[in-house]
Amino acid sequence: IQPPEKPLQAEEWNRLRESFKSPEIFEEVMFNNMVRYNSPIDVAKSLLTHLAKSNGDIGYNLLVKYLALCVQQGKTSEIRDVYDILKIRFKILESGAYNLIIRGLSNSDQWRMALTLLEEVKKIMIPSRTNYESCIKAAGRHQEMTLACELYHEMLAKDMVPTLDVLQAFFDYSRGMKDPELQKELFGILLYLRENQIYPHKTFMWSIKLWFESIPGENWRGHLTNITDSGQCPVCNHQLEDSELTEEEYNNLSERIIRDVIHGTDTFRKTSPQEFEAFQTFVENRLPFDIVIDGLNVSHIKPRKMQCENLFEAVNCLAKNNVRLLVLGRKHMLINSSNWKREIMKEMQNKADFFFAENISEDDAFLLYATLRSGKHCKFVTRDFLRDHKACLSDSLTRHLFRKWQRGHQISKKKFLFFFIPQPAFRYDCVVQTTGDTWHIPYKDTFEEKYSYRVPRKWLCLHQKY
């Protein structure tokens, strides 16, 4: 039902309600549609007045829906009125209502009230990320950057992952300010992107560029560029960090992963110790491999194709270069079926070593073990991001090394029509990096809500002109 365009009298609301096929949910549906069609506030008010007169009461849900409409239209005094009513009648609100009120007040000239409300929320629950981000943006809009930074750090301390939107806001609101402390904070945000391998999207990248160029007296210049395969920036001729780990870094990482991830918690390894021991023996007797393939994962690359054909294509393509391949498979692949043809499996086993795990096993641990034990040169093929394993590593330096190793050793796959084209791992490290008077920031063309680990090819080069 489409909401009326102007306020109605009691009898008109009654008539509308009776003509509705489920009168018991009429008000709820009506308010939902008022929010959807952004109805005038006085129309919504006339329904509330009618309900109050006929029932002597308005339910919590309907008040919150009315609140959503007020927030949508930036009606500050109404937001405050509804908040007062809710507080008197319900004492404690749930997080959805707090999100709305804090967002509504943050966008108004009474934004400091949102901060007071945030403090109130802290006493009864952990504030949501939205609560924090609404207040951070409000502080930024009013040039109170120290306050915005405090709230941001509080958020990180609670293990909340900030949205790219709020990170971008810091650069937008800090433009043109000469403030060494604030500058340090913004560099800290860029290092947060590096640490977590987050790639800003194009509009966020422009905000970063404009902020750098606006710092008074510092003479930063930004240029968009593509980095050469050798890792040199064509703009400033700077050589990007090598994606290869040093011998010492590699040995430390290898030790830590084998200790913490593979032999550590059982959380991510749905396999038996006996099976894993058998696998270790199998690997140690055949080392080193050049490429380790997650067979089941690769077999799903093209959904319309038979699984064993997908895997066969990958093995064929990679075996061309005379490399030693290890394919991690599952025992069900050995049973002749519509997806797994025995003769194709036999042919593949002539070109690569295969280890078939139980069907319930989790093969990430197998993949990591075989790749790391084969040495620094060994690459691996999977579409997984291995996030779980990064989470097992307790300190940020080891997590950074893990991601760096992953970027340099994981061969991603691109689907070009019907070909399987391995995309080589980069020789340079594809993360935000700085030398002090240069910053290099990889960015994506489009906004992606999920943090993705696919490596972008476009870069922003920032350097100081002396």
Side-chain angles (χ1 to χ4, degrees), residues 83-102:
Y83 173 56
D84 291 340
I85 294 167
L86 285 168
K87 273 306 279 181
I88 292 162
R89 288 193 39 206
F90 302 101
K91 301 292 180 279
I92 289 178
L93 317 181
E94 43 69 62
S95 60
Y98 279 122
N99 282 350
L100 281 169
I101 299 161
I102 289 176

Side-chain angles (χ1 to χ4, degrees), residues 71 159 451:
V71 169
D159 276 338
Y451 291 159

